[in-house]
Structure formats: structure tokens, C-alpha cells
Amino acid sequence: MSTTTRVVALSRYGFGRLGPARWTWWLAVAFAVFAALSARDATPNEIHAQLRGSFVWVTWLIAVPIAAAMADRPRARRRQQGLDALGELGGLPPRHLHLAGFAVPVAETAARMLLPLLAVAITGLVRTPALDGFGRVLSTIAAALLAAALMVGTALLCGHLAADRGRRLWWAVLLLPWVLSQRLPADVSLVGAVERLSGWLLGGAA
């Protein structure tokens, strides 16, 4: 087994121990079934609107709970799960473990988000095959990866900065700029960033 494979396997083990990592798969599957059924008779414009709406929903219902769990004492959690000790016993480079500790949660979060999003995008592509339909699928994948990276990366940073109060800091970073966005000269909130991402990649109004 290669070093990369072992590093990824160890990171996936750690991620799988998070509470939201378990139930978000079932939520994603249920959401995907509902989204596919809703998109069966939708027009191309309705497909775009449903895709944008689904993107916002999966961000809040899947990415946000996972990120909140990731922000909760990441260093202490790794020690409790024995990930650092297992990495040392296996001779795995710490730098690779830290990189996988970011990349694996992003990929796992994006995969859960993509289940309902691709259900909508592919349903629209099957109903009206066109070049822009393939572009929509690729844009959907990019949007999920970027949103997952934004949420998970911010959560990990909050966890490393605040340790035991990482989750509180994460919620403050997520919600306070959003609440104050009407009084600020520019919307610098994570929520605003997700909305702009939707507009840029999925054709929504930014």
C-alpha cells in the first residue's frame, strides 16, 4: 500500500468518526431522490432555478454541519482518535497528513453535496441533451468543491485558532458578517460568498 493511500485511508477514518459524516449521507440520498423527481417535468429555466436553490440548501444542510464538527478542537480530536500516533507508527509524513486532513473532508463534503445537485443537473441533461447541459454538470461539480473547500477550510482555521472555542468562533464567522452585511459597504460573509459562487458557476443572480 502506497504512502498516499495510507494517508488518505487514515484521514477518511478520522472524518468518518464525525457525527455529521454519518447522517449527511442519508440526507444527501433522500434529497437526491426528491430533487430528481422534482426535476422530471421542469423546463430548462426551472432546472437552473432548482439547481441554484438546491445548491443553497445542500450548503446549509450538509456543508455547514460538517464544517461545524470540523471546527471543534481539531488537534485534540486527532489525538483522541489516535490519528497522529497511527501516522507516526506508519512512518507517514506529518505534512501529508495535514494536507489530507483538509483535502479528504473537502472531497467527502463535496461528494455529499453533489448527490442532489447532480440528480438535478443530469435529469435536465437527459430531458434536453445539449452542450450547455454538460457545462452545467461540470459547473455543478466545481461549485460543490469550492463551497466545500470554503466551509471546511474556514472551520479548520477557526478550530486551530480557538481550540475548545473553535465551534463558537466558526458560527460567529459564519453568521455575524451575514447579519451585519446590510450595514457594511460590501458583503464579506461566507453566506454572501456562497451566493456569489452560485451566480458565477450556476447562473444565478449574484
Side-chain angles (χ1 to χ4, degrees):
M1 185 182 293
S2 69
T3 299
T4 301
T5 302
R6 286 185 291 161
V7 167
V8 171
L10 196 58
S11 297
R12 289 193 65 191
Y13 166 77
F15 179 82
R17 298 287 298 275
L18 295 176
R22 301 169 188 142
W23 59 260
T24 47
W25 266 128
W26 295 106
L27 177 62
V29 170
F31 197 167
V33 173
F34 174 78
L37 292 174
S38 300
R40 282 187 308 174
D41 301 318
T43 65
N45 286 337
E46 289 171 341
I47 289 289
H48 276 291
Q50 185 176 345
L51 191 57
R52 295 192 303 268
S54 297
F55 178 72
V56 173
W57 277 107
V58 296
T59 299
W60 279 102
L61 296 179
I62 294 176
V64 167
I66 289 175
M70 295 292 298
D72 186 26
R73 304 173 298 112
R75 290 192 182 95
R77 188 175 66 250
R78 287 181 62 85
R79 288 196 299 270
Q80 290 171 358
Q81 294 172 347
L83 298 184
D84 292 335
L86 288 172
E88 290 178 5
L89 288 173
L92 302 178
R95 181 169 58 87
H96 291 185
L97 286 171
H98 289 306
L99 180 60
F102 168 73
V104 168
V106 168
E108 292 280 356
T109 303
R112 288 159 173 76
M113 295 172 67
L114 280 170
L115 275 181
L117 295 177
L118 288 180
V120 176
I122 293 175
T123 299
L125 179 61
V126 170
R127 291 189 65 251
T128 55
L131 186 60
D132 68 325
F134 289 101
R136 187 187 305 129
V137 171
L138 294 177
S139 295
T140 299
I141 295 172
L145 284 170
L146 288 173
L150 180 65
M151 293 294 176
V152 169
T154 305
L156 286 174
L157 179 61
C158 290
H160 284 293
L161 290 175
D164 290 346
R165 298 182 180 179
R167 192 187 298 241
R168 293 181 185 177
L169 178 60
W170 152 252
W171 285 115
V173 168
L174 177 69
L175 297 176
L176 285 181
W178 180 40
V179 172
L180 297 173
S181 61
Q182 300 300 320
R183 298 179 178 271
L184 296 174
D187 186 354
V188 295
S189 68
L190 289 176
V191 178
V194 168
E195 291 176 352
R196 289 190 293 273
L197 188 63
S198 169
W200 177 40
L201 289 173
L202 304 179

